[in-house]
Amino acid sequence: MDASAAALSRIGLAGLAVMGQNLALNIAEKGFPISVYNRTTSKVDETLDRAEQEGRLPLTGHYNPRDFVLSIQRPRSVIILVKAGSPVDQTIAALSDHMSPGDAIIDGGNEWYENTERRIRLAADRGILYLGMGVSGGEEGARHGPSLMPGGSFDAYSNVEDILRKVAAQVDDGPCVTYIGEGGSGNFVKMVHNGIEYGDMQLISEAYDVLKTVGGLSNSELSDIFAEWNRGELESFLIEITADIFRVRDELGEGELVDKILDKTGMKGTGKWTVQQAAELSIAAPTIAASLDCRYLSGLKEERVAASQIFREAGIGEVLVGRRVDKKQLIDDVRQALYASKICSYAQGMNLLRAKSQEKGWNLNLGELARIWKGGCIIRAVFLDRIKKAYERNRGLANLVVDPDFAREMVQRQAAWRRVVGLAIEAGISTPGMCASLAYFDTYRRGRLPANLVQAQRDLFGAHTYERIDRPGSFHTEWTKLARQGQ
């Protein structure tokens, strides 16, 4: 390397909103000189100030695409962190004019995987390599160690593997990054990660609702319970932050802040994409779908308030008076119901990943995906290590719930699970995630379902034919004629 090359940055990052700034500072802190660029120049200055304050990190700011690109040593690798969709295309156009064959663009946004596959083809026409890289962990993860899911050009990954391995969250069995696979696989895996996250958050909110509404627990008690759960099998980022949330006092009024928050959930679209893909691939994902439906229903705040009034006048309160419950028993039952429901949610996500991998030839390693989710990301949880081991024991595992370890746990917890769902139904509290998980479990574990009747109906009104359990082939019956003959 000549003297001028030595002065060049090892990598570049364009897009300096919160995630971009934090990831750039993380890279610089790990000892990799980085160039940064943003169309709004004040963001460049802000990032430079932070780099100075945080220990004179090796970070240089640039104010136009040409200077930015030319400040990076070849083969150049540029991470872009801008809003998904057309802003990505605009950023690529601005940067690629100054890039050379063999250089690489790495999109770190939550992009629809087909957009990434389109961009891979367009970049290839100019000799530019392309990665679509899922980044999970929020602003905190981006700064101190996210879970990274890069897919696309393997050469582009190889060029920055040393950087990504240092920057990613570190767990006992390595950094939380791996080459996911070809095409848009990195974006797809991040999308499903977010779908599982939707399910997880919904299930936790249902556990909260049952404990608060049926059990009458205070926020202080809830905080202690979630903190205790976080020391056991439910140990995870989402359980940990939930314990913290219940502790925060309202600075603008009495009591805890959580009670003052409007019950309308926002969303960015990845949960919807997950459910759409599950339908496309004929993969049952009822827990994730239920969580999406709940977000839609939460958005109907005014309608729900009006409905509450109408039904109160019709003679039914928001919460039906249930029987008295044993608090200690309820807390333990809810813990078990939450755990069993979560396993079903993760199982659905993993089955969706496997189905897409087979369709696209991505050869996804489900055990390795569970491993890179153990740290940095929003769904990081201690039981991901056990999911990893389940797929290591049997790479062709049909469903997570039939892994011998998990199957035993589901059986041990199913009585508590049913008690919680039953109590909630009795009290008029919706637990769609827990109910969907339980229905998934009960449907999947039965050797025979009432689908035989559905097939008979389809054959009667549409001559769709049916198969028999006692002989091969397709059959059609004149059902109505035969039924009327017998009368």
Side-chain angles (χ1 to χ4, degrees):
M1 188 192 294
D2 62 33
S4 62
L8 295 175
S9 291
R10 177 64 209 284
I11 192 167
L13 189 145
L16 297 172
V18 175
M19 286 290 284
Q21 278 192 28
N22 283 356
L23 190 59
L25 292 165
N26 183 352
I27 291 167
E29 186 184 54
K30 299 301 187 297
F32 299 103
I34 182 170
S35 296
V36 299
Y37 163 72
N38 198 81
R39 224 170 44 173
T40 311
T41 56
S42 60
K43 290 285 184 192
V44 178
D45 295 333
E46 207 177 286
T47 312
L48 287 169
D49 287 346
R50 285 186 64 188
E52 184 67 23
Q53 287 160 16
E54 294 186 25
R56 298 199 169 172
L57 301 176
L59 183 147
T60 53
H62 301 272
Y63 298 91
N64 65 67
R66 183 179 180 277
D67 289 353
F68 167 64
V69 171
L70 298 182
S71 71
I72 304 161
Q73 70 184 49
R74 297 181 60 182
R76 303 182 185 98
S77 298
V78 177
I79 298 171
I80 57 175
L81 268 168
V82 297
K83 199 174 173 203
S86 60
V88 177
D89 292 308
Q90 288 158 15
T91 306
I92 291 168
L95 299 177
S96 57
D97 281 348
H98 311 289
M99 295 177 82
S100 312
D103 291 350
I105 291 171
I106 303 164
D107 176 15
N110 272 340
E111 188 55 272
W112 174 237
Y113 83 99
E114 287 180 334
N115 284 343
T116 295
E117 298 197 330
R118 168 177 61 80
R119 290 172 188 140
I120 287 171
R121 291 190 293 272
L122 290 172
D125 292 343
R126 306 180 66 157
I128 293 172
L129 310 177
Y130 199 93
L131 277 179
M133 181 171 73
V135 179
S136 179
E139 54 187 273
E140 190 68 17
R143 180 64 187 85
H144 300 291
S147 175
L148 300 171
M149 298 155 245
S153 159
F154 184 72
D155 287 343
Y157 173 71
S158 300
N159 290 345
V160 291
E161 183 180 9
D162 60 332
I163 300 176
L164 299 183
R165 287 176 67 84
K166 279 266 172 57
V167 162
Q170 307 293 317
V171 292
D172 55 2
D173 47 8
C176 292
V177 60
T178 192
Y179 174 69
I180 301 292
E182 293 178 356
S185 60
N187 295 111
F188 194 90
V189 167
K190 174 59 168 43
M191 177 198 79
V192 173
H193 162 286
N194 285 22
I196 293 170
E197 181 185 309
Y198 272 50
D200 244 358
M201 294 170 78
Q202 176 63 29
L203 292 168
I204 291 169
S205 75
E206 292 174 17
Y208 154 63
D209 198 9
V210 171
L211 291 173
K212 182 185 171 75
T213 312
V214 179
L217 274 72
S218 68
N219 289 329
S220 171
E221 289 173 306
L222 287 165
S223 178
D224 291 344
I225 288 159
F226 276 86
E228 187 183 328
W229 286 356
N230 197 48
R231 291 190 284 271
E233 64 191 10
L234 285 171
E235 184 190 326
S236 62
F237 173 69
L238 286 169
I239 296 288
E240 179 189 341
I241 65 168
T242 303
D244 289 342
I245 286 166
F246 290 124
R247 282 195 197 100
V248 176
R249 307 283 300 170
D250 180 13
E251 292 179 339
L252 304 177
E254 293 294 306
E256 286 82 25
L257 180 57
V258 69
D259 296 328
K260 309 289 173 60
I261 295 176
L262 182 67
D263 51 321
K264 276 172 79 166
T265 309
M267 63 196 113
K268 295 282 180 68
T270 43
K272 181 172 83 172
W273 294 344
T274 305
V275 173
Q276 287 171 331
Q277 279 295 297
E280 291 278 330
L281 292 159
S282 304
I283 295 293
T287 313
I288 299 170
S291 69
L292 184 66
D293 287 340
C294 273
R295 292 196 180 195
Y296 294 149
L297 284 165
S298 80
L300 306 176
K301 174 66 175 175
E302 293 76 15
E303 285 183 42
R304 289 188 289 110
V305 170
S308 167
Q309 183 61 35
I310 290 163
F311 286 111
R312 191 177 291 115
E313 287 164 8
I316 183 171
E318 280 198 18
V319 178
L320 312 180
V321 180
R323 60 178 182 270
R324 283 183 65 80
V325 294
D326 176 331
K327 248 189 195 183
K328 198 161 178 258
Q329 171 86 56
L330 179 67
I331 292 164
D332 195 56
D333 281 355
V334 171
R335 175 183 59 78
Q336 294 188 63
L338 179 55
Y339 185 82
S341 298
K342 275 164 69 86
I343 293 171
C344 290
S345 186
Y346 281 74
Q348 293 159 30
M350 290 300 191
N351 288 351
L352 176 52
L353 287 170
R354 182 174 51 219
K356 194 67 176 183
S357 179
Q358 287 166 351
E359 180 195 82
K360 301 285 286 184
W362 284 338
N363 195 28
L364 296 182
N365 180 337
L366 300 183
E368 180 68 351
L369 296 184
R371 187 194 70 76
I372 67 165
W373 289 344
K374 279 168 57 180
C377 71
I378 304 302
I379 65 170
R380 62 182 181 264
V382 73
F383 86 153
L384 277 159
D385 194 52
R386 310 205 14 249
I387 293 176
K388 179 194 85 156
K389 286 176 177 150
Y391 285 109
E392 281 174 353
R393 281 194 293 273
N394 179 4
R395 191 148 179 192
L397 184 65
N399 191 304
L400 201 53
V401 300
V402 297
D403 169 75
D405 278 6
F406 282 120
R408 193 163 51 249
E409 293 191 331
M410 301 293 275
V411 171
Q412 286 165 353
R413 286 159 180 74
Q414 56 94 29
W417 197 3
R418 294 179 203 286
R419 282 195 295 272
V420 171
V421 167
L423 258 180
I425 289 169
E426 215 177 295
I429 296 169
S430 60
T431 50
M434 286 186 184
C435 285
S437 283
L438 183 57
Y440 179 80
F441 172 68
D442 280 339
T443 304
Y444 190 71
R445 68 181 180 78
R446 288 184 68 194
R448 185 162 173 84
L449 294 170
N452 53 318
L453 179 59
V454 176
Q455 283 299 84
Q457 291 168 334
R458 292 178 72 242
D459 188 50
L460 185 152
F461 65 65
H464 292 297
T465 74
Y466 57 89
E467 293 176 86
R468 294 178 59 106
I469 57 175
D470 55 354
R471 60 194 66 195
S474 292
F475 296 85
H476 169 60
T477 296
E478 297 291 332
W479 296 90
T480 306
K481 193 167 99 183
L482 291 173
R484 302 278 155 84
Q485 275 175 11
Q487 283 178 343

